[in-house]
Each structure stands twice: as C-alpha cells, then as structure tokens.
Amino acid sequence: MIWLWSFVVGVLFSKSFLSPAAFQRVQEECNKLHDQLQEEPDCFANGRRFLELDFSHEVVQTLCGTESQDKLRKLLGREELRLAPDTPAEFRSYGVGASMAWHRDDQLYTIPQVECVFTVENLSDSRTEWMVENGDQRSEWTPPNSILAFTAQGAVHRVTPLKKGRRDIVKFVLTATQERTDTYYEVVPKKWWPLGLQVPL
C-alpha cells in the first residue's frame, strides 16, 4: 500500500519497500548491531537507543543504494533528492517504555530535507502518528519493510510509548542541497561536517 506524497503535509508511507532478499540482508545486519546501541541524549525520544552507521555499512549500502534512492525519488515525485553525504544514517531501537514526543523535524538544509524512517522490525504495540492538513490525525502501526518519509518542518508527528515488544528502524536523510542552516551545526555531530566527505554509493 502506498499513500501518495502530500506537498502540504509532506508525509509518505509505503509498505514492502525493499525486495524480500534486500530486506532480509538489512534485517540480518541490523540484528548484529544491538550490542552496540547507545543511549540517545538530548532529543525528543525517550528511552530510545541508537547507533550511527558509516555509509559503507551493508545496511546503508542496501537501504540507501541507487535502486532504493530511485524508488524513493519516484514515490516522492522529487528527482533532485539525493542521500545527504554529511548527515549520518542511524540504526535506532525502541524498547518497552520508549517513545517520541510530538515534534517537527529540524531543518538542516536551506531546502527542507526529507527524513526517511525504515522499519526493520516491529514486535511492539507502538504507533506512529502525524497531523494532516485538515487537522485530522493519522495513526499507523508500521510493519517491517515499510518506510515513512517526513519533510523537515512539515507534519507534526510522534511515536507512542511501547507497552510491549521492540521496534527497530533505520533513519536516513535525503536532500536537494548541501547548503546548511545554522541548525545543522547544532544537531549533527562535528565529525560529519567536512564538506569533502564522499559517500560510497
């Protein structure tokens, strides 16, 4: 199922994003990362753990490779988007009690970026919710191999608290420009700032 991109709200939700073989690779590689997860400080999420992923990691190579980016650009109707080379992809895990409060994503670039959330595993009762242009609220349980995309400073959204299970995701950023806002330097770790960073995709 695909919900078409809304330029007013800027939210995309699509199921069965990767091929079965590609999804299996991503899931297997992510399952190896749980012992490396760290507590995530200073963010809207409560109790979430995370790990920054190098662009050479198998998860990023598969999930953010040429074929996947082409598919996302087509779904979004935005051919100018590319994987941001100076903002890290992250593996994130929500356990029981974890949640993320209502918020809008920070705008990191002078053209608002698209924040992509790929569900690797969801054994939880948690739902992702967002507001649409008429003031109504959408609420979805995101299945494995689904992807959500939010435009920065677009729809207000949240993740409801987990009462059971676990939810694992990979977050990455698509952008139409590398021209940064001041907020970029407040949000993105300094090691990712160098403009010459090359993404091996």
Side-chain angles (χ1 to χ4, degrees):
M1 182 187 84
I2 296 171
W3 287 351
L4 295 179
W5 178 258
S6 166
F7 285 102
V8 177
V9 179
V11 179
L12 171 81
F13 178 45
S14 178
K15 297 180 181 179
S16 301
F17 179 69
L18 294 176
S19 70
F23 174 62
Q24 184 177 358
R25 285 199 304 274
V26 169
Q27 198 170 52
E28 288 175 350
E29 290 299 318
C30 285
N31 285 338
K32 300 174 185 177
L33 300 175
H34 278 277
D35 61 354
Q36 301 177 50
L37 290 167
Q38 307 167 22
E39 297 298 323
E40 190 168 5
D42 302 326
C43 70
F44 291 105
N46 175 46
R48 185 175 71 191
R49 297 184 299 156
F50 84 113
L51 177 69
E52 291 179 355
L53 300 175
D54 291 334
F55 288 109
S56 60
H57 195 282
E58 178 69 21
V59 169
V60 183
Q61 291 283 302
T62 303
L63 181 56
C64 307
T66 301
E67 183 177 348
S68 296
Q69 287 192 60
D70 286 345
K71 184 174 182 178
L72 268 175
R73 284 192 288 267
K74 184 176 180 180
L75 288 172
L76 298 172
R78 294 188 60 187
E79 291 298 320
E80 75 279 13
L81 292 171
R82 298 291 184 274
L83 181 68
D86 51 359
T87 299
E90 293 180 354
F91 176 53
R92 297 173 172 180
S93 185
Y94 292 78
V96 173
S99 64
M100 185 164 60
W102 286 108
H103 71 286
R104 286 187 173 92
D105 292 324
D106 292 321
Q107 184 174 335
L108 307 180
Y109 302 94
T110 54
I111 299 173
Q113 78 276 5
V114 177
E115 303 258 345
C116 302
V117 177
F118 178 81
T119 300
V120 178
E121 186 65 89
N122 196 351
L123 305 171
S124 78
D125 57 346
S126 178
R127 301 179 73 85
T128 301
E129 299 181 337
W130 63 94
M131 305 300 294
V132 298
E133 63 266 34
N134 62 2
D136 289 344
Q137 182 174 312
R138 295 278 193 182
S139 180
E140 283 289 328
W141 180 84
T142 58
N145 202 16
S146 66
I147 195 161
L148 270 165
F150 294 92
T151 302
Q153 287 299 300
V156 179
H157 54 284
R158 71 169 179 173
V159 176
T160 64
L162 279 71
K163 297 178 182 177
K164 63 179 181 179
R166 190 185 79 240
R167 176 175 179 258
D168 295 340
I169 65 169
V170 176
K171 190 273 294 183
F172 60 95
V173 171
L174 299 180
T175 184
T177 179
Q178 283 185 253
E179 186 177 352
R180 302 162 177 168
T181 63
D182 290 342
T183 303
Y184 173 92
Y185 298 98
E186 299 171 5
V187 173
V188 178
K190 192 172 183 178
K191 71 176 185 178
W192 297 96
W193 292 2
L195 283 171
L197 186 65
Q198 297 298 308
V199 183
L201 291 177

